[in-house]
Amino acid sequence: QVQLVESGGGLVQAGGALRLSCAASGSTSSIHTMAWYRQAPGKQRELVAAVADTGNTNYADFVKGRFTVSIGEANAGVFLQMNTLQPEDTAVYYCNAKAAYVDYGPPPSMRYVDYWGQGIQVTVSS
């Protein structure tokens, strides 16, 4: 099991910056990727940015050049530096951890689990 707790959200004016943090605890050694998703009112949850334990990153087109995602040591957390925020970035932001476990069966196989934080509000005023 993995527990995720987000912090750092709040209200900021357009053009401002925020840094989101997500602390991971529990079986963090099983995590291979951590990510941030967001969900605006009336919209589906969407990927914002992801980072693998290899350091590889993936960004949604709408945040490229503005947001930076990074992973903590020993997969202890993930951070999202958000610059040049715009009103359309207003949403609840969720931390996500993707873990892989070995199921020894037989036969042996891999089991993949997604963990989620409780979400944190980010509001950008115009």
Side-chain angles (χ1 to χ4, degrees):
Q1 289 285 330
V2 173
Q3 295 78 42
L4 304 171
V5 178
E6 300 105 333
S7 61
L11 173 65
V12 64
Q13 288 188 333
L18 281 175
R19 180 177 172 83
L20 300 183
S21 298
C22 173
S25 61
S27 302
T28 58
S29 60
S30 63
I31 298 172
H32 59 83
T33 300
M34 298 196 75
W36 289 95
Y37 288 73
R38 71 185 188 187
Q39 187 167 19
K43 294 188 176 182
Q44 290 190 334
R45 190 173 299 188
E46 58 185 357
L47 175 69
V48 175
V51 55
D53 55 3
T54 59
N56 290 337
T57 57
N58 180 37
Y59 293 92
D61 286 343
F62 54 78
V63 301
K64 283 183 179 178
R66 299 190 298 130
F67 291 9
T68 302
V69 65
S70 58
I71 196 167
E73 290 188 8
N75 298 338
V78 63
F79 309 93
L80 185 68
Q81 178 65 42
M82 305 186 292
N83 298 328
T84 320
L85 283 161
Q86 300 300 318
E88 51 266 35
D89 294 317
T90 296
V92 176
Y93 284 70
Y94 294 91
C95 177
N96 167 265
K98 302 183 186 301
Y101 302 94
V102 177
D103 185 338
Y104 291 97
S109 63
M110 294 300 296
R111 180 168 60 91
Y112 300 96
V113 180
D114 271 293
Y115 297 98
W116 295 92
Q118 77 284 1
I120 192 164
Q121 179 69 44
V122 170
T123 303
V124 184
S125 63
S126 57

